[in-house]
Amino acid sequence: MEPGPGPGSGPGSWAATACVVTGASRGFGRSLARLLAPQLGPGSALLLLARSADALGELASELRAGTTGNDPGNDPGNDPGSDSGSGPGLRVQCVAADLGCEEGLRRASAALRELLQDPTFGRLLLVNNAGSLGDISKSFLDFTDLQEINTYFSFNISSALCLTSVALGAFGARPGCSRTVVNISSLCAREPFPSWALYCAAKAARDMVFRVLALEQPQLRVLSYAPGPLDTDMQLLARTRTGDPGMRQHFQRMQEQGQLIDSSVSAQKLLQLLKEDSFPSGAHVDFYDI
């Protein structure tokens, strides 16, 4: 099947795009939002979702001011967006919501419906980035608390499914418009990691959920992108909290040997994928594949 029109179609900026990024307050989501903002042309809106209101507000202010190169967490010399501000007239909105609970999911869904009812948008780009490791100090046999397990999967699987469904329903199948859904995946969707039963299961489930979406809705563009081992707070947890000693030491060696990837570098690769728009819909693409 030939790929349909996606965010990368046509020259110049992505005019009249409704762009949504979850987990946007830090790490990969923050870096991606900073790179996406300059690509969004007149008539576009960027909706940022995360749990931290303060961090979201700081990012939104930065993007509105067009200072996308001033990321204190990254070396500006390595930031592909360091010379660009956000697109002219870009609307930046942020919603602080815990997607793992019903109230937070309702708040996020309401914001999506309100934003996407605007008929002037010609593109929809939804990036499901929000996620968590869970208690990686535990082994498989330690997971006996049903509420702990259900709470984890609610945030890491169910919320992505619900939000995507809400967004696609609110935007609708507008003639001549493109819709792209990105799932931030992981090598853990393909390979088992000891002490990471919940995380591996959630990433594998999300990949399959979005493969089903791609099959059911062939007019959509659907991508699962594995960003690689990022130098983030999550990786710090992996190095210090992973219960399996071999895994913990593996992550420590990666950090010591400089093998971790800057979030902005990986985010730039995802942006490249979206611009080229040549991936098979539903595909799982790894940072190291590009």
Side-chain angles (χ1 to χ4, degrees):
M1 180 179 299
E2 292 297 320
S9 302
S13 60
W14 302 348
T17 298
C19 182
V20 182
V21 181
T22 70
S25 62
R26 59 180 183 169
F28 184 79
R30 182 178 185 273
S31 292
L32 182 62
R34 295 176 70 250
L35 288 176
L36 284 170
Q39 304 296 322
L40 303 174
S44 295
L46 177 58
L47 176 61
L48 308 171
L49 296 168
R51 285 178 282 192
S52 173
D54 290 343
L56 275 182
E58 291 172 5
L59 176 61
S61 296
E62 175 190 319
L63 297 181
R64 292 184 188 115
T67 56
T68 57
N70 299 331
D71 185 348
N74 294 314
D75 176 2
N78 293 330
D79 187 347
S82 60
D83 295 327
S84 301
S86 58
L90 175 66
R91 288 179 285 156
V92 181
Q93 303 174 27
C94 50
V95 176
D98 181 354
L99 300 180
C101 68
E102 290 187 16
E103 179 186 354
L105 192 57
R106 279 197 298 268
R107 188 180 307 121
S109 297
L112 277 176
R113 291 189 181 99
E114 182 177 359
L115 173 67
L116 298 179
Q117 70 181 355
D118 186 338
T120 63
F121 291 128
R123 303 181 191 274
L124 170 64
L125 173 60
L126 170 61
V127 182
N128 290 287
N129 170 66
S132 64
L133 280 177
D135 191 345
I136 53 175
S137 70
K138 294 181 176 180
S139 70
F140 186 103
L141 298 181
D142 294 322
F143 287 107
T144 57
D145 185 334
L146 185 61
Q147 182 175 354
E148 176 187 6
I149 297 167
N150 285 344
T151 297
Y152 179 83
F153 286 142
S154 179
F155 174 53
N156 286 277
I157 305 173
S158 304
S159 69
L161 172 57
C162 289
L163 275 185
T164 302
S165 297
V166 166
L168 293 174
F171 192 83
R174 306 177 186 183
C177 296
S178 65
R179 296 173 293 168
T180 301
V181 175
V182 179
N183 165 46
I184 299 305
S185 185
S186 169
L187 175 63
C188 294
R190 301 284 183 92
E191 300 290 338
F193 282 44
S195 294
W196 288 31
L198 294 186
Y199 188 79
C200 290
K203 289 300 185 183
R206 275 173 55 150
D207 267 29
M208 184 55 74
V209 162
F210 288 102
R211 285 178 64 188
V212 170
L213 174 64
L215 191 63
E216 289 183 354
Q217 302 289 330
Q219 73 277 21
L220 297 180
R221 305 289 290 130
V222 181
L223 172 67
S224 286
Y225 174 68
L230 302 177
D231 190 6
T232 61
D233 292 342
M234 186 178 284
Q235 176 58 220
L236 176 60
L237 287 175
R239 296 196 300 273
T240 58
R241 298 292 303 277
T242 298
D244 182 80
M247 283 294 298
R248 192 169 59 250
Q249 292 163 13
H250 170 71
F251 291 127
Q252 289 169 354
R253 284 194 300 271
M254 291 186 71
Q255 193 271 336
E256 292 166 359
Q257 296 171 7
Q259 296 176 340
L260 301 180
I261 302 165
D262 190 282
S263 291
S264 65
V265 173
S266 184
Q268 179 62 32
K269 282 203 174 185
L270 173 56
L271 186 61
Q272 175 188 336
L273 275 173
L274 294 174
K275 284 183 173 183
E276 293 174 354
D277 196 37
S278 59
F279 55 85
S281 189
H284 173 110
V285 180
D286 192 277
F287 173 88
Y288 294 108
D289 295 335
I290 305 168

